[in-house]
Amino acid sequence: MDGWETRRKRIPGHDWCIIELGVPGVIHGFHVDTHFFTGNYAPRISVQGACLQENISLPTRGDRIGSAATEEDFKAVERLHSEKWEYLLEMTELTPGYAESCHSYFHVNSKERWTHIRLNIYPDGGIARFKVYGIGQRDWSSCGPNDLEDLLSMANGSVCLGYSDAHYGHPRNLIGLGRAADMGDGWETARRLDRPPILKANKNGILQVPGNEWTVFRLGHPGLITHIEIDTNHFKGNSPNSCKIEACILTAKEEEEENIKNKWAVTLENRWKTLLPVMQVLLIF
């Protein structure tokens, strides 16, 4: 089975595991997939969470399939008192792993920052996939005033709030970790059909076409922007000819929600400031 399955319990208690989140942040929901676990899925689960210091170290289990935790493992975990962590999801039932019933979704009402979760299954069984959805949140108190940080990184809390087109790839891919694996791991729009049959460029090499595509992000933290990086990796024949970057400050949450509702159609021309004027995009192979 391509998942986590425990042996049938022959002793009191239930099975559990502790997971360090790939990106600390605010959790909005869980997705539990019991696919293929039809007669041996975990009947019930609960989820607890904690925000631990970065220097916390736990023994790595590795791929020790067919074995339970050792006494050393239990002693190391006991120091965390994970059984007392706050419940993000109380004990709830799952469904068997048939195609029509294997997916279970749970909403989380929490605004706190989490770094680790404890997944409890009752009393034993299997789960194919367990996904934690939320927004990354950096501990900005650890950053110095002159540190150079990626304010647009998903890991630091940036979020895509709107866009004009996402035909081949969603613009939220732009703020992912590392470089894109392929073109599908970036943002690509459909080719505009309102372009003239014969394209013309101005003296700066900027193509003169009607309209443009756009996307709006909320930075992970307000800050002074000093550097901008645009990576066209993998886009060798379909990268944009030019781009422009603007920024504004929305102080009230209602302002952001209103613009999202109107799909950013409400003009903010008096508030947007140009960070990068229209310029040609260089190809990076």
Side-chain angles (χ1 to χ4, degrees):
M1 294 294 184
D2 185 22
W4 175 41
E5 183 181 4
T6 66
R7 66 183 70 189
R8 302 192 185 208
K9 297 295 288 184
R10 295 291 185 265
I11 58 175
H14 64 88
D15 290 319
W16 50 268
C17 70
I18 292 179
I19 304 170
E20 180 181 1
L21 298 179
V23 174
V26 178
I27 297 174
H28 291 307
F30 302 119
H31 172 204
V32 186
D33 183 358
T34 58
H35 207 169
F36 303 115
F37 290 91
T38 55
N40 54 346
Y41 69 98
R44 300 171 185 83
I45 67 163
S46 70
V47 183
Q48 297 167 266
C51 185
L52 305 180
Q53 299 296 326
E54 294 183 359
N55 57 359
I56 292 294
S57 61
L58 288 174
T60 302
R61 285 295 311 276
D63 296 326
R64 284 153 47 191
I65 297 175
S67 64
T70 64
E71 287 298 324
E72 290 73 17
D73 293 332
F74 282 118
K75 289 180 180 180
V77 172
E78 281 179 4
R79 298 196 302 267
L80 302 179
H81 304 289
S82 61
E83 70 281 357
K84 298 180 180 179
W85 289 356
E86 182 177 341
Y87 278 93
L88 301 177
L89 177 67
E90 298 284 351
M91 186 188 299
T92 186
E93 293 186 354
L94 295 181
T95 48
Y98 298 104
E100 66 275 10
S101 63
C102 63
H103 297 286
S104 298
Y105 299 91
F106 305 100
H107 181 69
V108 175
N109 291 311
S110 172
K111 302 300 181 183
E112 298 181 52
R113 180 177 182 266
W114 308 100
T115 61
H116 294 71
I117 59 173
R118 170 171 163 145
L119 172 61
N120 303 301
I121 61 177
Y122 304 98
D124 53 29
I127 295 175
R129 291 291 186 271
F130 177 62
K131 298 185 181 297
V132 180
Y133 295 104
I135 298 176
Q137 189 177 94
R138 176 76 174 274
D139 180 10
W140 294 101
S141 64
S142 62
C143 302
N146 297 318
D147 290 349
L148 194 64
E149 304 289 347
D150 186 357
L151 301 177
L152 196 59
S153 171
M154 184 183 297
N156 290 337
S158 180
V159 180
C160 178
L161 300 177
Y163 55 88
S164 60
D165 187 281
H167 190 86
Y168 292 109
H170 199 287
R172 63 169 170 256
N173 293 337
L174 299 179
I175 60 177
L177 302 180
R179 300 192 75 188
D182 50 41
M183 285 192 296
D185 194 24
W187 177 37
E188 183 180 0
T189 65
R191 305 199 182 204
R192 295 181 65 96
L193 300 181
D194 57 357
R195 295 178 300 171
I198 300 177
L199 302 179
K200 296 181 180 180
N202 64 14
K203 62 180 182 180
N204 296 320
I206 307 299
L207 293 178
Q208 303 301 288
V209 295
N212 63 278
E213 308 297 355
W214 55 265
T215 181
V216 177
F217 297 98
R218 183 207 306 140
L219 298 181
H221 194 280
L224 176 65
I225 299 176
T226 59
H227 296 72
I228 295 174
E229 177 183 341
I230 302 171
D231 187 355
T232 59
N233 189 27
H234 303 297
F235 290 91
K236 298 180 179 180
N238 51 353
S239 61
N241 167 256
S242 58
C243 72
K244 177 182 180 181
I245 298 178
E246 299 173 303
C248 73
I249 298 177
L250 298 181
T251 55
K253 182 179 179 182
E254 292 76 16
E255 289 181 312
E256 182 179 286
E257 292 177 348
E258 184 66 19
N259 279 283
I260 293 174
K261 179 181 178 181
N262 294 316
K263 298 183 179 180
W264 299 91
V266 178
T267 179
L268 292 172
E269 292 181 358
N270 296 330
R271 305 180 65 175
W272 288 105
K273 305 298 182 183
T274 299
L275 297 181
L276 187 71
V278 178
M279 62 173 294
Q280 279 190 297
V281 176
L282 299 178
L283 300 183
I284 302 177
F285 295 142

